[in-house]
Protein backbone atom coordinates (compact mmCIF):
# COMPACT_ATOMS: atom_id res chain seq x y z
CA UNK A 1 0.00 0.00 0.00
CA UNK A 2 2.84 2.41 0.88
CA UNK A 3 4.46 1.65 -2.47
CA UNK A 4 1.23 2.47 -4.32
CA UNK A 5 0.87 5.75 -2.43
CA UNK A 6 4.44 6.74 -3.26
CA UNK A 7 3.99 5.71 -6.88
CA UNK A 8 0.84 7.86 -7.20
CA UNK A 9 2.88 10.88 -8.29
CA UNK A 10 4.00 12.05 -11.74
CA UNK A 11 7.58 10.90 -11.10
CA UNK A 12 6.25 7.66 -9.64
CA UNK A 13 4.30 6.89 -12.81
CA UNK A 14 7.43 7.31 -14.91
CA UNK A 15 9.43 5.33 -12.33
CA UNK A 16 7.19 2.31 -12.82
CA UNK A 17 7.54 2.58 -16.61
CA UNK A 18 11.32 2.96 -16.43
CA UNK A 19 11.57 -0.02 -14.11
CA UNK A 20 9.79 -2.41 -16.47
CA UNK A 21 10.26 -0.99 -19.98
CA UNK A 22 13.85 -2.13 -20.73
CA UNK A 23 13.21 -5.75 -19.70
CA UNK A 24 9.86 -5.85 -21.51
CA UNK A 25 11.48 -4.31 -24.61
CA UNK A 26 13.96 -7.17 -24.75
CA UNK A 27 11.09 -9.66 -24.74
CA UNK A 28 8.82 -7.65 -27.09
CA UNK A 29 9.94 -4.24 -28.33
CA UNK A 30 6.45 -3.29 -29.56
CA UNK A 31 5.37 -3.01 -25.93
CA UNK A 32 7.46 0.16 -25.52
CA UNK A 33 4.90 2.41 -27.22
CA UNK A 34 1.92 1.55 -24.96
CA UNK A 35 4.10 1.55 -21.82
CA UNK A 36 5.47 5.04 -22.48
CA UNK A 37 2.11 6.45 -23.59
CA UNK A 38 0.31 5.18 -20.49
CA UNK A 39 3.12 6.45 -18.24
CA UNK A 40 3.08 9.95 -19.75
CA UNK A 41 -0.71 10.17 -19.53
CA UNK A 42 -0.58 8.94 -15.93
CA UNK A 43 2.04 11.55 -15.03
CA UNK A 44 -0.12 14.37 -16.40
CA UNK A 45 -3.30 13.00 -14.78
CA UNK A 46 -1.62 12.53 -11.39
CA UNK A 47 -0.32 16.09 -11.48
CA UNK A 48 -3.87 17.33 -12.06
CA UNK A 49 -5.20 15.06 -9.31
CA UNK A 50 -2.68 16.43 -6.80
CA UNK A 51 -2.52 20.09 -7.88
CA UNK A 52 -5.95 20.57 -9.49
CA UNK A 53 -4.36 22.22 -12.51
CA UNK A 54 -2.87 20.93 -15.74
CA UNK A 55 0.90 21.00 -16.27
CA UNK A 56 0.75 23.09 -19.41
CA UNK A 57 4.09 22.89 -21.21
CA UNK A 58 5.89 25.98 -22.47
CA UNK A 59 9.25 27.14 -23.75
CA UNK A 60 10.90 28.04 -27.02
CA UNK A 61 12.03 24.51 -27.82
CA UNK A 62 8.48 23.18 -27.45
CA UNK A 63 7.00 25.85 -29.67
CA UNK A 64 9.69 25.26 -32.27
CA UNK A 65 8.87 21.54 -32.27
CA UNK A 66 5.14 22.17 -32.51
CA UNK A 67 5.74 24.66 -35.32
CA UNK A 68 7.62 21.92 -37.18
CA UNK A 69 4.69 19.52 -36.84
CA UNK A 70 2.32 22.34 -37.73
CA UNK A 71 4.21 22.80 -40.98
CA UNK A 72 4.02 19.04 -41.51
CA UNK A 73 0.24 19.26 -41.09
CA UNK A 74 0.05 22.12 -43.58
CA UNK A 75 2.08 20.03 -46.03
CA UNK A 76 -0.82 17.59 -46.13
CA UNK A 77 -2.44 20.00 -48.62
CA UNK A 78 0.16 19.00 -51.26
CA UNK A 79 1.33 15.64 -49.85
CA UNK A 80 1.04 12.48 -51.90
CA UNK A 81 -1.10 10.89 -49.15
CA UNK A 82 -2.95 13.83 -47.56
CA UNK A 83 -4.93 11.95 -44.91
CA UNK A 84 -1.97 9.93 -43.71
CA UNK A 85 0.23 13.03 -43.72
CA UNK A 86 -2.24 15.00 -41.59
CA UNK A 87 -2.82 12.14 -39.15
CA UNK A 88 0.91 11.52 -38.65
CA UNK A 89 1.65 15.22 -38.14
CA UNK A 90 -1.10 15.59 -35.53
CA UNK A 91 -0.13 12.33 -33.85
CA UNK A 92 3.54 13.26 -33.50
CA UNK A 93 2.75 16.81 -32.42
CA UNK A 94 0.34 15.57 -29.75
CA UNK A 95 2.93 13.08 -28.47
CA UNK A 96 5.58 15.81 -28.19
CA UNK A 97 3.12 18.03 -26.30
CA UNK A 98 2.21 15.13 -24.01
CA UNK A 99 5.89 14.44 -23.28
CA UNK A 100 6.53 18.11 -22.54
CA UNK A 101 3.53 18.21 -20.18
CA UNK A 102 4.78 15.09 -18.39
CA UNK A 103 8.21 16.71 -18.00
CA UNK A 104 6.56 19.78 -16.47
CA UNK A 105 4.62 17.51 -14.09
CA UNK A 106 7.76 15.64 -13.01
CA UNK A 107 9.65 18.91 -12.52
CA UNK A 108 6.90 20.04 -10.13
CA UNK A 109 7.14 16.79 -8.15
CA UNK A 110 9.27 16.43 -5.01
CA UNK A 111 13.04 15.91 -5.15
CA UNK A 112 12.59 12.62 -3.31
CA UNK A 113 10.13 11.36 -5.94
CA UNK A 114 12.51 12.31 -8.75
CA UNK A 115 15.37 10.48 -7.03
CA UNK A 116 13.23 7.35 -6.75
CA UNK A 117 12.47 7.70 -10.45
CA UNK A 118 16.18 7.75 -11.29
CA UNK A 119 16.83 4.72 -9.09
CA UNK A 120 13.95 2.83 -10.69
CA UNK A 121 15.25 3.76 -14.13
CA UNK A 122 18.75 2.54 -13.27
CA UNK A 123 17.39 -0.74 -11.90
CA UNK A 124 15.17 -1.24 -14.94
CA UNK A 125 18.06 -0.50 -17.29
CA UNK A 126 20.29 -2.98 -15.46
CA UNK A 127 17.58 -5.65 -15.72
CA UNK A 128 17.13 -4.97 -19.43
CA UNK A 129 20.85 -5.07 -20.16
CA UNK A 130 21.24 -8.29 -18.18
CA UNK A 131 18.32 -9.90 -20.02
CA UNK A 132 19.68 -8.81 -23.41
CA UNK A 133 23.16 -10.09 -22.57
CA UNK A 134 21.81 -13.44 -21.38
CA UNK A 135 19.62 -13.73 -24.44
CA UNK A 136 22.59 -13.15 -26.75
CA UNK A 137 24.82 -15.55 -24.82
CA UNK A 138 22.18 -18.31 -24.83
CA UNK A 139 21.46 -18.14 -28.55
CA UNK A 140 18.27 -16.14 -27.88
CA UNK A 141 16.80 -18.87 -25.68
CA UNK A 142 15.05 -16.26 -23.53
CA UNK A 143 13.16 -14.63 -26.38
CA UNK A 144 12.50 -17.91 -28.12
CA UNK A 145 11.11 -19.38 -24.91
CA UNK A 146 8.73 -16.46 -24.45
CA UNK A 147 7.40 -17.11 -27.95
CA UNK A 148 7.19 -20.88 -27.41
CA UNK A 149 9.71 -21.56 -30.19
CA UNK A 150 12.94 -23.50 -30.44
CA UNK A 151 14.31 -21.55 -33.39
CA UNK A 152 13.35 -18.66 -35.62
CA UNK A 153 15.54 -17.26 -38.41
CA UNK A 154 16.41 -13.61 -37.91
CA UNK A 155 15.22 -13.43 -34.31
CA UNK A 156 18.47 -11.73 -33.31
CA UNK A 157 17.40 -8.60 -35.19
CA UNK A 158 14.45 -8.23 -32.82
CA UNK A 159 16.91 -6.91 -30.23
CA UNK A 160 17.65 -3.81 -32.29
CA UNK A 161 14.78 -1.63 -30.93
CA UNK A 162 15.56 -2.68 -27.36
CA UNK A 163 19.25 -1.91 -27.87
CA UNK A 164 18.40 1.55 -29.22
CA UNK A 165 16.04 2.27 -26.32
CA UNK A 166 18.60 1.19 -23.73
CA UNK A 167 21.29 3.27 -25.46
CA UNK A 168 19.06 6.31 -24.96
CA UNK A 169 18.48 5.44 -21.29
CA UNK A 170 22.15 4.73 -20.55
CA UNK A 171 23.01 8.38 -19.68
CA UNK A 172 20.62 8.05 -16.71
CA UNK A 173 23.42 6.09 -15.05
CA UNK A 174 25.37 9.34 -14.63
CA UNK A 175 22.55 10.80 -12.50
CA UNK A 176 22.01 7.90 -10.06
CA UNK A 177 21.89 9.47 -6.60
CA UNK A 178 23.99 8.15 -3.73
CA UNK A 179 26.73 6.52 -5.81
CA UNK A 180 30.34 7.68 -6.12
CA UNK A 181 31.46 8.89 -9.52
CA UNK A 182 33.64 5.88 -10.26
CA UNK A 183 30.71 3.49 -9.78
CA UNK A 184 28.51 5.50 -12.14
CA UNK A 185 31.30 5.59 -14.71
CA UNK A 186 31.79 1.84 -14.36
CA UNK A 187 28.06 1.29 -14.82
CA UNK A 188 28.00 3.37 -17.99
CA UNK A 189 31.03 1.58 -19.42
CA UNK A 190 29.59 -1.86 -18.64
CA UNK A 191 26.19 -0.92 -20.03
CA UNK A 192 27.76 0.58 -23.13
CA UNK A 193 29.79 -2.57 -23.72
CA UNK A 194 26.62 -4.70 -23.58
CA UNK A 195 24.73 -2.40 -25.97
CA UNK A 196 27.64 -2.42 -28.42
CA UNK A 197 27.62 -6.22 -28.37
CA UNK A 198 23.94 -6.31 -29.38
CA UNK A 199 22.66 -6.20 -32.98
CA UNK A 200 21.97 -2.77 -34.43
CA UNK A 201 24.48 -0.25 -35.72
CA UNK A 202 22.34 2.72 -34.63
CA UNK A 203 22.62 1.74 -30.96
CA UNK A 204 26.40 1.35 -31.26
CA UNK A 205 26.74 4.79 -32.84
CA UNK A 206 24.45 6.27 -30.16
CA UNK A 207 26.62 4.89 -27.36
CA UNK A 208 29.85 6.15 -28.91
CA UNK A 209 28.33 9.56 -29.66
CA UNK A 210 26.95 9.80 -26.13
CA UNK A 211 30.39 9.00 -24.74
CA UNK A 212 31.96 11.78 -26.81
CA UNK A 213 29.28 14.31 -25.85
CA UNK A 214 29.60 13.28 -22.19
CA UNK A 215 33.35 13.91 -22.31
CA UNK A 216 32.85 17.31 -23.94
CA UNK A 217 30.19 18.20 -21.36
CA UNK A 218 32.62 17.28 -18.58
CA UNK A 219 35.24 19.59 -20.09
CA UNK A 220 32.95 22.51 -20.95
CA UNK A 221 29.48 22.11 -19.38
CA UNK A 222 28.23 25.68 -19.90
CA UNK A 223 29.21 25.86 -23.55
CA UNK A 224 27.71 22.47 -24.34
CA UNK A 225 24.34 23.43 -22.88
CA UNK A 226 24.01 26.13 -25.55
CA UNK A 227 25.58 24.43 -28.56
CA UNK A 228 23.99 21.00 -29.31
CA UNK A 229 20.40 22.03 -30.04
CA UNK A 230 21.09 24.83 -32.56
CA UNK A 231 24.06 22.93 -34.02
CA UNK A 232 21.97 19.80 -34.61
CA UNK A 233 19.15 21.81 -36.18
CA UNK A 234 21.57 23.53 -38.57
CA UNK A 235 23.25 20.23 -39.38
CA UNK A 236 19.92 18.59 -40.28
CA UNK A 237 18.93 21.52 -42.50
CA UNK A 238 22.32 21.58 -44.22
CA UNK A 239 22.66 17.81 -44.62
CA UNK A 240 21.41 17.66 -48.24
CA UNK A 241 23.90 20.40 -49.18
CA UNK A 242 26.73 18.70 -47.31
CA UNK A 243 26.07 15.20 -48.63
CA UNK A 244 24.90 16.09 -52.11
CA UNK A 245 28.24 16.94 -53.77
CA UNK A 246 30.02 13.91 -52.32
CA UNK A 247 27.25 11.48 -53.19
CA UNK A 248 26.90 12.93 -56.69
CA UNK A 249 30.53 12.02 -57.39
CA UNK A 250 30.10 8.62 -55.78
CA UNK A 251 31.57 7.19 -52.59
CA UNK A 252 33.29 3.78 -52.70
CA UNK A 253 30.92 1.61 -50.67
CA UNK A 254 31.82 -1.91 -51.71
CA UNK A 255 33.56 -2.55 -48.40
CA UNK A 256 30.59 -1.44 -46.30
CA UNK A 257 27.96 -3.76 -44.80
CA UNK A 258 25.01 -4.12 -47.13
CA UNK A 259 22.72 -2.10 -44.81
CA UNK A 260 25.17 0.84 -44.78
CA UNK A 261 25.66 0.68 -48.54
CA UNK A 262 21.88 0.61 -49.01
CA UNK A 263 21.56 3.76 -46.91
CA UNK A 264 24.06 5.59 -49.11
CA UNK A 265 22.01 4.67 -52.16
CA UNK A 266 18.81 5.80 -50.40
CA UNK A 267 20.37 9.16 -49.41
CA UNK A 268 21.57 9.68 -52.96
CA UNK A 269 18.05 9.09 -54.29
CA UNK A 270 16.43 11.25 -51.58
CA UNK A 271 18.76 14.18 -52.28
CA UNK A 272 17.76 14.08 -55.94
CA UNK A 273 14.07 14.26 -54.95
CA UNK A 274 14.80 17.09 -52.46
CA UNK A 275 16.46 19.07 -55.24
CA UNK A 276 13.26 18.81 -57.28
CA UNK A 277 11.19 20.48 -54.53
CA UNK A 278 13.70 22.27 -52.27
CA UNK A 279 11.24 24.67 -50.58
CA UNK A 280 7.88 22.98 -50.05
CA UNK A 281 9.10 19.41 -50.34
CA UNK A 282 6.91 16.43 -51.11
CA UNK A 283 4.79 16.62 -47.95
CA UNK A 284 4.61 14.50 -44.81
CA UNK A 285 4.82 10.70 -45.31
CA UNK A 286 6.12 11.23 -48.84
CA UNK A 287 8.51 8.29 -48.70
CA UNK A 288 5.60 5.88 -49.05
CA UNK A 289 4.67 7.11 -52.52
CA UNK A 290 7.45 9.39 -53.79
CA UNK A 291 8.04 8.76 -57.51
CA UNK A 292 10.70 6.12 -58.01
CA UNK A 293 10.84 5.16 -54.35
CA UNK A 294 9.52 1.67 -54.98
CA UNK A 295 11.99 0.95 -57.74
CA UNK A 296 15.33 -0.83 -57.35
CA UNK A 297 18.49 1.26 -57.81
CA UNK A 298 19.74 1.53 -61.37
CA UNK A 299 22.95 -0.15 -62.44
CA UNK A 300 24.45 3.30 -63.04
CA UNK A 301 23.73 4.34 -59.46
CA UNK A 302 25.21 1.14 -58.06
CA UNK A 303 28.29 1.51 -60.27
CA UNK A 304 28.83 5.08 -59.02
CA UNK A 305 29.14 3.69 -55.49
CA UNK A 306 31.31 0.77 -56.49
CA UNK A 307 28.51 -1.73 -55.89
CA UNK A 308 28.43 -3.41 -59.29
CA UNK A 309 30.08 -6.59 -58.06
CA UNK A 310 29.76 -9.01 -55.17
CA UNK A 311 28.96 -9.29 -52.35
CA UNK A 312 26.35 -6.49 -52.21
CA UNK A 313 25.17 -6.16 -55.80
CA UNK A 314 22.55 -8.91 -55.91
CA UNK A 315 20.97 -7.82 -52.61
CA UNK A 316 20.87 -4.12 -53.48
CA UNK A 317 19.67 -4.71 -57.02
CA UNK A 318 16.56 -6.37 -55.56
CA UNK A 319 16.03 -3.68 -52.87
CA UNK A 320 13.89 -0.56 -53.22
CA UNK A 321 15.18 2.99 -53.04
CA UNK A 322 12.92 3.89 -50.12
Amino acid sequence: MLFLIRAATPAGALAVALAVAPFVAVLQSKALAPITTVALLAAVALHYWRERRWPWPSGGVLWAALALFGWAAISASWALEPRRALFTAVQLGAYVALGAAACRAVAADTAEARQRMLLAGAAGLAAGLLAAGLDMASGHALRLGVRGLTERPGIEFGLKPAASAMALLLPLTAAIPGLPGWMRLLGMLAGGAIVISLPGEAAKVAVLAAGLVGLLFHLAPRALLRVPGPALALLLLAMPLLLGPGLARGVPAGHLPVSAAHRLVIWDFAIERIAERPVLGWGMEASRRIPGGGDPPSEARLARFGLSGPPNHDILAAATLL
Side-chain angles (χ1 to χ4, degrees):
M1 181 61 70
L2 181 61
F3 170 78
L4 292 176
I5 294 174
R6 287 185 173 182
T9 68
L14 293 186
V16 173
L18 288 169
V20 302
F23 181 79
V24 173
V26 171
L27 302 181
Q28 177 51 264
S29 60
K30 292 182 179 179
L32 276 176
I35 289 175
T36 53
T37 302
V38 170
L40 294 175
L41 288 170
V44 172
L46 286 168
H47 177 89
Y48 180 81
W49 176 60
R50 292 166 65 90
E51 305 292 337
R52 289 295 182 266
R53 56 188 176 87
W54 295 108
W56 296 111
S58 62
V61 174
L62 172 68
W63 292 117
L66 293 180
L68 177 63
F69 293 118
W71 172 254
I74 293 173
S75 78
S77 61
W78 64 82
L80 300 176
E81 293 194 23
R83 291 183 181 179
R84 186 189 294 274
L86 181 60
F87 175 78
T88 301
V90 172
Q91 182 186 45
L92 292 176
Y95 202 80
V96 169
L98 174 62
C103 288
R104 175 61 64 89
V106 170
D109 212 335
T110 64
E112 182 184 4
R114 291 195 298 271
Q115 285 188 347
R116 288 196 299 268
M117 181 184 70
L118 289 174
L119 289 172
L125 179 60
L129 289 169
L130 179 61
L134 291 174
D135 185 67
M136 284 288 293
S138 64
H140 307 291
L142 176 61
R143 296 169 61 245
L144 286 170
V146 169
R147 290 161 175 76
L149 302 172
T150 56
E151 63 176 325
R152 181 180 178 182
I155 192 171
E156 66 275 9
F157 298 112
L159 279 175
K160 285 185 176 183
S164 298
M166 290 189 290
L168 292 175
L169 291 174
L170 196 57
L172 285 176
T173 311
I176 299 175
L179 289 181
W182 68 268
M183 289 187 67
R184 286 180 285 182
L185 177 61
L186 183 61
M188 284 190 288
L189 291 175
I194 293 175
V195 172
I196 289 175
S197 71
L198 299 176
E201 301 302 322
K204 295 179 175 63
V205 173
V207 168
L208 296 176
L212 177 60
V213 172
L215 177 61
L216 293 176
F217 184 81
H218 179 73
L219 296 175
R222 291 186 178 180
L224 203 64
L225 284 175
R226 299 184 180 93
V227 171
L232 183 59
L234 291 174
L235 182 63
L236 290 174
L237 291 173
M239 192 61 70
L241 297 177
L242 296 175
L243 288 178
L247 292 179
R249 290 192 297 269
V251 178
H255 63 286
L256 296 176
V258 65
S259 60
H262 190 205
R263 281 171 173 79
L264 280 178
V265 173
I266 290 172
W267 291 341
D268 185 55
F269 171 78
I271 286 173
E272 291 178 356
R273 298 287 81 79
I274 290 171
E276 294 174 5
R277 298 187 181 182
V279 179
L280 295 180
W282 293 85
M284 191 70 171
E285 295 280 20
S287 63
R288 296 175 180 273
R289 287 187 55 190
I290 195 167
D295 300 332
S298 66
E299 290 295 331
R301 195 187 298 274
L302 293 178
R304 186 152 47 86
F305 288 95
L307 298 170
S308 296
N312 293 338
H313 175 269
D314 291 344
I315 299 175
L316 292 175
T320 60
L321 285 165
L322 285 178

